[in-house]
Amino acid sequence: MKALWIGVMVVLFSIFQLGLAGEGSDMLAQPRGPVILKMGGAITRTNVGDEAHFDRAMLEALPQHEVRTGTPWTDHPHDYRGPLMRELLAHVGAQGEYVHVVALNSYEAEIPIEDFVEYDVLLAMDRDGEAMPIREYGPLWVLYPFDHDEALLSEKMRFRAVWQVMRIDVH
């Protein structure tokens, strides 16, 4: 059943990717503001060499999702907003099994792409309606919906929730 679900998600990602790509366009738009995310590795849609660079407006142009959740690092639940990781990966034509995420403070994590199929993991950009500053886990946070599944509270899953994200490589 899980293999069928993953197959369905791959087809949906492909359809989603075609819809965002436009009329046969394999190139992403160029960022107009400060670049807050760089993506590389096994991706097919780029805008700077073999990488995809995103400013905030480009990430905001992707479908936005909201989740209310507490985290092991915050005192109470907050409302977070941003694109789902699976939709971001589809947008860049990701072709891999895991992502390598790097934070501004050099923290790194390997995250299986299967996590993004199984859970609604956000690349959170806003908390309670405001952009997250660097000192408060921003500007980008790979955020699991911790309150929605007890399995996400394990140490293994907590280590995958990278904040202050600056780079994602697909492998």
Side-chain angles (χ1 to χ4, degrees):
M1 184 66 160
K2 190 172 187 178
L4 175 64
W5 175 247
I6 291 173
V8 168
M9 292 308 296
V10 167
V11 169
L12 290 175
F13 290 162
S14 297
I15 292 168
F16 177 78
Q17 180 181 349
L18 289 173
L20 288 177
E23 299 292 323
S25 171
D26 287 336
M27 295 293 293
L28 296 173
Q30 291 294 316
R32 295 178 188 228
V35 172
I36 61 171
L37 176 65
K38 293 181 180 179
M39 295 183 71
I43 61 174
T44 60
R45 295 190 70 221
T46 61
N47 56 8
V48 178
D50 60 352
E51 295 184 333
H53 291 196
F54 291 88
D55 61 17
R56 183 173 173 87
M58 292 170 70
L59 292 172
E60 287 174 337
L62 295 171
Q64 299 294 295
H65 299 269
E66 293 185 14
V67 65
R68 181 168 185 78
T69 189
T71 76
W73 308 278
T74 55
D75 294 338
H76 58 277
H78 292 276
D79 296 312
Y80 296 93
R81 182 174 182 269
L84 289 173
M85 284 294 298
R86 64 178 167 253
E87 291 177 352
L88 173 62
L89 292 174
H91 185 63
V92 297
Q95 300 174 343
E97 295 180 19
Y98 68 93
V99 296
H100 181 91
V101 182
V102 181
L104 292 170
N105 67 358
S106 298
Y107 178 80
E108 300 179 22
E110 301 286 331
I111 305 172
I113 290 176
E114 183 177 300
D115 278 11
F116 309 140
V117 174
E118 191 167 342
Y119 304 105
D120 287 340
V121 180
L122 284 182
L123 183 62
M125 301 186 325
D126 296 336
R127 182 177 64 203
D128 299 330
E130 296 187 18
M132 292 185 298
I134 290 172
R135 62 180 155 46
E136 294 181 26
Y137 309 105
L140 303 171
W141 187 354
V142 175
L143 184 68
Y144 286 76
F146 289 102
D147 288 352
H148 299 229
D149 190 326
E150 198 170 292
L152 296 175
L153 295 173
S154 71
E155 184 175 5
K156 173 179 80 171
M157 300 308 272
R158 286 194 315 263
F159 282 128
R160 295 177 181 173
V162 181
W163 57 77
Q164 298 177 335
V165 172
M166 64 177 216
R167 181 163 188 90
I168 299 172
D169 287 300
V170 180
H171 298 281

